[in-house]
Amino acid sequence: MREFCRPNLPEKRVTDVIISGEYTYIIKELENLGINAVKVFPCSYLPYYERYHADMQCSYYERGKVFLSTDSSVKLEKSSLEIRTEFTKDKTGTEYPYNTLLNHVVMGNFLICREKYTCTEVKNYCISKKIRLIDVKQGYTKCSTAVVNANAVITADSGIYNACIKNGVDALMVEQGDVRLYGYSYGFIGGCCGKISKDILAFTGKLSLHRDCDRIKSFLRNYNIYSLELSNKPLTDVGSILPVIQEAE
């Protein structure tokens, strides 16, 4: 039996994730772990090196529900349960920050986002559920935020770090860099990872190559969470690993 999990916060072993269809070696390793990759295909309206990124094309904001941009051509490959897709009425731009409409973090009782450029429907949903909005200046919010649990994150963005601390969210500030993103000087810590169970945060490459590896692992241990490396390659920003379906009791 399977069930949809909370956004970014699975409680059991994950069976399906939404992920870029571009990185076949990561998909293969996920499949070796028994995890189905619900692949995202390229969107022409996004900057070239972001065109496959799941966290740019869709927002998994509620159990079983995904928001897509109205001008998106993305189709999510079939998962073991039918994911309900909806289209936002807001129009996504082709350049930053107008391309970050769906790049935000829903985690427990918090929505971390750049409010001005965030999908209206997701903001309204969070307001209706009394989910607190944490407004930051970084439009690439999901890319920049590794979710540890409902009250803890890892980021290299000082604005996100300070806003989280101010709102009672524990945060680890790490150095920028050591995450590859083709076409850019560097990628983001949130874009190279995602939870695949309550106690495992999976990374796309060698966390041991990150200059703050020891601090990251120590922070994770504070919350009884372990890291898993999905490849022997450098950490790569693939647009996040978004858990959507988990085993049910």
Side-chain angles (χ1 to χ4, degrees):
M1 296 292 291
R2 293 176 172 85
E3 63 184 8
F4 289 109
C5 62
R6 291 189 297 162
N8 299 301
L9 294 171
E11 296 99 352
K12 306 178 188 73
R13 190 183 78 84
V14 170
T15 62
D16 296 69
V17 299
I18 300 176
I19 190 172
S20 164
E22 186 174 19
Y23 297 88
T24 55
Y25 66 93
I26 297 173
I27 290 170
K28 183 177 180 181
E29 186 58 32
L30 287 169
E31 290 173 345
N32 288 340
L33 294 171
I35 299 173
N36 176 51
V38 183
K39 294 187 281 292
V40 169
F41 298 101
C43 283
S44 59
Y45 71 87
L46 286 173
Y48 183 79
Y49 294 104
E50 301 171 5
R51 69 196 191 284
Y52 274 94
H53 285 202
D55 58 18
M56 297 296 294
Q57 297 189 37
C58 57
S59 168
Y60 182 67
Y61 70 101
E62 183 183 7
R63 289 183 191 264
K65 296 180 181 180
V66 171
F67 258 120
L68 303 175
S69 170
T70 52
D71 50 359
S72 171
S73 60
V74 65
K75 291 180 174 57
L76 299 178
E77 192 173 81
K78 190 175 182 181
S79 63
S80 57
L81 293 176
E82 185 176 352
I83 301 172
R84 178 182 169 186
T85 57
E86 302 172 87
F87 291 88
T88 173
K89 295 179 181 179
D90 296 334
K91 184 174 177 59
T92 303
T94 58
E95 297 180 354
Y96 180 85
Y98 303 98
N99 60 333
T100 62
L101 183 74
L102 301 170
N103 197 270
H104 44 256
V105 181
V106 179
M107 46 175 272
N109 294 320
F110 299 99
L111 166 64
I112 309 172
C113 67
R114 186 170 181 179
E115 182 178 5
K116 182 178 178 180
Y117 300 102
T118 296
C119 167
T120 300
E121 291 90 345
V122 170
K123 287 188 289 187
N124 289 342
Y125 166 80
C126 290
I127 291 170
S128 71
K129 297 296 182 181
K130 294 181 171 52
I131 294 173
R132 187 190 307 176
L133 189 152
I134 300 177
D135 187 22
V136 298
K137 292 183 178 180
Q138 174 60 265
Y140 291 120
T141 312
K142 179 62 190 77
C143 302
S144 302
T145 308
V147 177
V148 175
N149 71 8
N151 200 56
V153 300
I154 301 169
T155 186
D157 186 277
S158 60
I160 292 175
Y161 172 82
N162 290 329
C164 284
I165 295 298
K166 182 178 179 180
N167 283 273
V169 176
D170 193 11
L172 174 67
M173 179 75 178
V174 297
E175 290 290 327
Q176 195 71 267
D178 295 335
V179 179
R180 177 185 295 175
L181 177 56
Y182 295 103
Y184 297 90
S185 300
Y186 54 82
F188 299 98
I189 190 70
C192 73
C193 64
K195 298 194 75 174
I196 59 171
S197 74
K198 183 177 181 179
D199 58 359
I200 298 176
L201 182 62
F203 289 85
T204 58
K206 297 284 286 183
L207 178 60
S208 55
L209 298 178
H210 195 288
R211 71 193 75 181
D212 286 318
C213 173
D214 291 341
R215 294 178 61 239
I216 291 171
K217 287 186 174 181
S218 177
F219 187 77
L220 294 177
R221 283 196 298 270
N222 289 341
Y223 293 96
N224 297 314
I225 293 172
Y226 303 90
S227 60
L228 175 68
E229 299 176 342
L230 295 174
S231 78
N232 290 320
K233 300 178 184 294
L235 290 172
T236 301
D237 185 341
V238 303
S240 301
I241 301 170
L242 305 177
V244 289
I245 299 173
Q246 63 186 14
E247 290 182 338
E249 292 182 349

